[in-house]
Amino acid sequence: MPRNRAIAERLSLIADLLEIKGESVFRVNAYRRAARAIEGLTEDVAGVAARGALTEIQGIGKSTAEKIEEFIATGTMQAYEELASSLPPGLADLMAVPDVGPKTALLLHEHLGVSTIDELEAAASAGRVRDLPRMGEKTEANILKGIAMLRRSAGRQLLGMVLPIAEELLRVVRETPGVERADLAGSLRRGKETVGDIDILATSRSPRKVMEAFTGAGQVEEVVATGPTKSSVVLQGGLRADLRVVKPAAYGAALQYFTGSKEHNVVLRERAVRLGLKVNEYGVWRVRDDRRVAARDEEKVYAAVGLPWIPPEMREDQGEFAAAEEGRLPRLVRAEEIRGDLHVHTDWSDGSEPVEAMVGAATRRGYDYICITDHSQSLKIARGVSEGDLRDNIAHVRGLGERGGIEVLIGTECDILADGSLDYPDDLLAELDLVIASVHTRFRMDRGQMTARIVKALESERVHVLGHPTGRLLGARDPYELEIEEVVRAAARTGTALEINAAPERLDLRDSHARLAKEHGVLVAIGTDAHTIGQLGNMGFGVSVARRGWLEAADVLNTRPLKRLRELLRSERGRRRRG
């Protein structure tokens, strides 16, 4: 929901600016909590405000509610504008760079006079950052790496941010009278982790009505161009969206063509040429007499060149043609095959909801089980759970048992400490149903040290899953230095599952690593890492990664029914074997 994200971002910026001004940490954290609360809502915040229920949201007080209502009505917050105008310009831009927090941004401005990312890059490249207080060569190098990462991701947004917007636009198109078929195309349909724009394809008996509905949608900020077959708009937030309307007889060919990828389509066209055919967005044509032999359906387009239909997520020219020819296309895992969420946080650590609320939300999703995995004791910033509190939590969850058709499991997201040891003693970990081991600190260890650290953790017989294995945050933090193949081999040797973390900003493992895990016989666990009820809905993004990694249901730990899951988790050293 774009409005929710915009408000959450504005509240986060207020927190950053207050931190720069040296305001109370309690006031700063209050705005951060409010931002997380709005971001985690499962409905448009305007609806909550309309029924006067903003202050019923945990973390939203009267003053914050007034600011949210002001933004809904005017598109701005006077408190933010006043704060921004009281500080040097450009600080918010500088804070977009990883490792540049509010205080660092102010330091850079005051000592070097920089107020843009270009100026910061020039200063760091000239070696001027390293001499500042609390800086140094390593920090300077990391700032340059962060700027490079920002430039790589420029113009692209997270799949998890774009897809809900695209689906709402698609709904507008599909509900327009006369529309026969409509689908998302492009990188969205292929489930790419970041997206440059939205592509929608439709067929209709009344193209003009479809274009009017599309260009008049509530998210549209500017109409760039509109015509009888194509319209382009810019949405709130700057995202571009295109709609193409084609004839029913050519719909399948157009959908295949505009889904891509470019690399996949090049190989498809080359294959067609060898068969005396040509392929374009209008169909598959026989060259000798220019007769169209397939176009209406994608399945027939692929069949015309001697192939079975290839799922969109596999269309990257990464071996899918050979697999199709040899009858080896996998039956990709589907979201409805996921039986439970194995990575969920509550207000026992840094989540926003009590256990019972998260369990109820998981029940409504039709899950068979949910595992509560709050942070371990060393992660103070996330209110990590002490040993004594974890024992109490275990007893609490055991008392819940099966509730309304769902089984509640108790686990932990246990920190992997710098030396590879775990953050809880072995006897306490043994009492849990599931142990996810994750790195949350010391991200800048060199490749050998980080690899050894993680492999040592995998060798603990208490660890079931390696959480977000490479530590990346899309557009904000590169993966840490890691020999991923060595980690995958260690997981295969120890029977440890690797996580696909479905949080849109993580999607870690990435698709190619998930495929590598499959090739080594390593199971993958898909977890949302949910900290709010709304984030339980992110499971589909993890499934998209799994599908892009060619995973089938048998490759995913939490497609198992509860009884089989328990057997796998309790069995001896190779407890995550297939079965």
Side-chain angles (χ1 to χ4, degrees), residues 287-321:
V287 173
R288 72 170 183 266
D289 55 7
D290 204 30
R291 178 174 175 267
R292 186 161 64 182
V293 297
R296 186 176 292 271
D297 299 298
E298 270 195 330
E299 290 82 354
K300 293 180 180 177
V301 169
Y302 281 98
V305 295
L307 295 171
W309 179 79
I310 297 175
E313 297 91 341
M314 295 178 65
R315 299 179 194 175
E316 301 289 350
D317 189 23
Q318 294 293 320
E320 67 270 23
F321 288 100

Side-chain angles (χ1 to χ4, degrees), residues 401-424:
E402 191 269 350
R403 291 170 63 90
I406 191 170
E407 188 77 15
V408 187
L409 307 178
I410 181 66
T412 179
E413 185 178 14
C414 184
D415 260 36
I416 301 174
L417 303 180
D419 65 354
S421 61
L422 301 176
D423 197 22
Y424 287 129

Side-chain angles (χ1 to χ4, degrees), residues 87-105:
L87 291 165
L91 293 186
D93 292 338
L94 296 181
M95 287 186 290
V97 179
D99 290 326
V100 179
K103 293 179 180 177
T104 301

